Amino acid sequence: SRILHNGLVDGVVVASIAMDDPIIQSLIESKMPFILIGRHPTEDVNYLDVDNVQSGRKATMHLVRLGYKRIATITGKQSQVAGYDRYQGYVKALQDSDNPVKPELVAEGDFTEESGYKAMQRLLKYKPDAVFVASDMMAFGAMRALRDANLRIPEDVAVVGFDDIPASSKTIPPLTTVRQAIVQMGSLAVDSLIHIIETGTKTTQKVIMDTELVVRESCGASKTK
């Protein structure tokens, strides 16, 4: 709070926040220019994000089209917009393809590898044949849990992640995932904030960037279902 009001900062870029994070209200009250990397439900807040709902739907629909029937998901924290939105994309894909959303096939993580491992362990008793994981770090944990259970990827359980961090192409097998332009997002956020500061514009800046589904071996796309 002191940093926001000491007059030494011209603007702030904020990344990865919870929906109810008090920093947002503090920034609004400070009248300081700021931009979020990640959508926020508060109106009239500047942000830059990918369409997490549509991206989650795209990833899940890929598994639907490959013929999987018991598609599970490991979500991010539902108190965070990205976690909530990616889960909504999963739900939308199942609804759009006339597949039931089964609560036992949904496990919440916190975007860490260990939470992905534990979530996958919980899901295994319900025998999923595929899983959409809301971050690559959690997907790494899920893949480790599958290996520890002597299950093959993708023959027994297919896996799709989200982020396309550099290690995702090096997993065994390589991870199918949603690529978002993280570096470009950071750069664009800074450019947008500078524009807001220099022009004094009061128009809310909301920028949505595209994602790409990067198909590798973990989803089984190269195998006949």
Side-chain angles (χ1 to χ4, degrees):
S1 179
R2 289 196 303 271
I3 292 174
L4 297 181
H5 298 284
N6 66 9
L8 300 177
V9 176
D10 293 323
V12 181
V13 176
V14 184
S16 186
I17 54 166
M19 295 186 196
D20 59 353
D21 195 318
I23 189 67
I24 299 303
Q25 190 57 40
S26 296
L27 284 164
I28 292 171
E29 292 172 358
S30 75
K31 306 296 184 184
M32 179 182 300
F34 70 95
I35 188 166
L36 309 180
I37 299 180
R39 185 182 72 82
H40 196 272
T42 303
E43 291 296 323
D44 300 325
V45 169
N46 303 307
Y47 69 78
L48 182 148
D49 203 358
V50 298
D51 188 336
N52 281 296
V53 175
Q54 183 57 28
S55 298
R57 180 187 180 278
K58 184 191 309 182
T60 307
M61 282 302 301
H62 178 66
L63 292 169
V64 169
R65 293 189 184 106
L66 288 173
Y68 297 104
K69 301 300 183 186
R70 293 185 58 78
I71 302 172
T73 187
I74 299 174
T75 75
K77 281 187 175 181
Q78 293 302 283
S79 60
Q80 292 184 324
V81 175
Y84 178 82
D85 282 356
R86 291 173 195 179
Y87 172 63
Q88 294 307 309
Y90 163 84
V91 169
K92 185 170 176 54
L94 294 185
Q95 290 174 338
D96 289 350
S97 57
D98 296 321
N99 285 294
V101 178
K102 298 180 179 180
E104 68 269 21
L105 292 180
V106 178
E108 183 174 343
D110 62 9
F111 292 113
T112 64
E113 181 176 351
E114 189 59 29
S115 75
Y117 183 90
K118 291 177 179 177
M120 192 72 247
Q121 286 185 316
R122 294 195 299 272
L123 290 170
L124 282 179
K125 68 183 74 170
Y126 302 108
K127 301 192 181 305
D129 58 5
V131 58
F132 163 53
V133 190
S135 79
D136 288 352
M137 287 303 298
M138 290 195 298
F140 298 162
M143 294 171 81
R144 182 162 54 88
L146 290 169
R147 287 194 297 272
D148 285 353
N150 294 317
L151 293 170
R152 300 166 299 164
I153 306 166
E155 291 85 355
D156 297 317
V157 182
V159 181
V160 174
F162 199 114
D163 287 329
D164 195 31
I165 61 177
S168 300
S169 63
K170 306 291 195 300
T171 56
I172 301 174
L175 180 64
T176 294
T177 185
V178 176
R179 175 180 294 163
Q180 54 178 339
I182 296 173
V183 174
Q184 291 90 329
M185 287 176 68
S187 177
L188 184 55
V190 172
D191 290 344
S192 298
L193 181 60
I194 291 171
H195 173 76
I196 291 166
I197 294 169
E198 290 182 344
T199 63
T201 179
K202 301 301 181 185
T203 303
T204 304
Q205 308 292 306
K206 296 182 179 181
V207 180
I208 303 297
M209 299 182 68
D210 290 335
T211 62
E212 174 190 359
L213 182 67
V214 181
V215 178
R216 299 191 180 107
E217 294 173 24
S218 69
C219 64
S222 62
K223 301 180 184 299
T224 302
K225 285 293 296 171

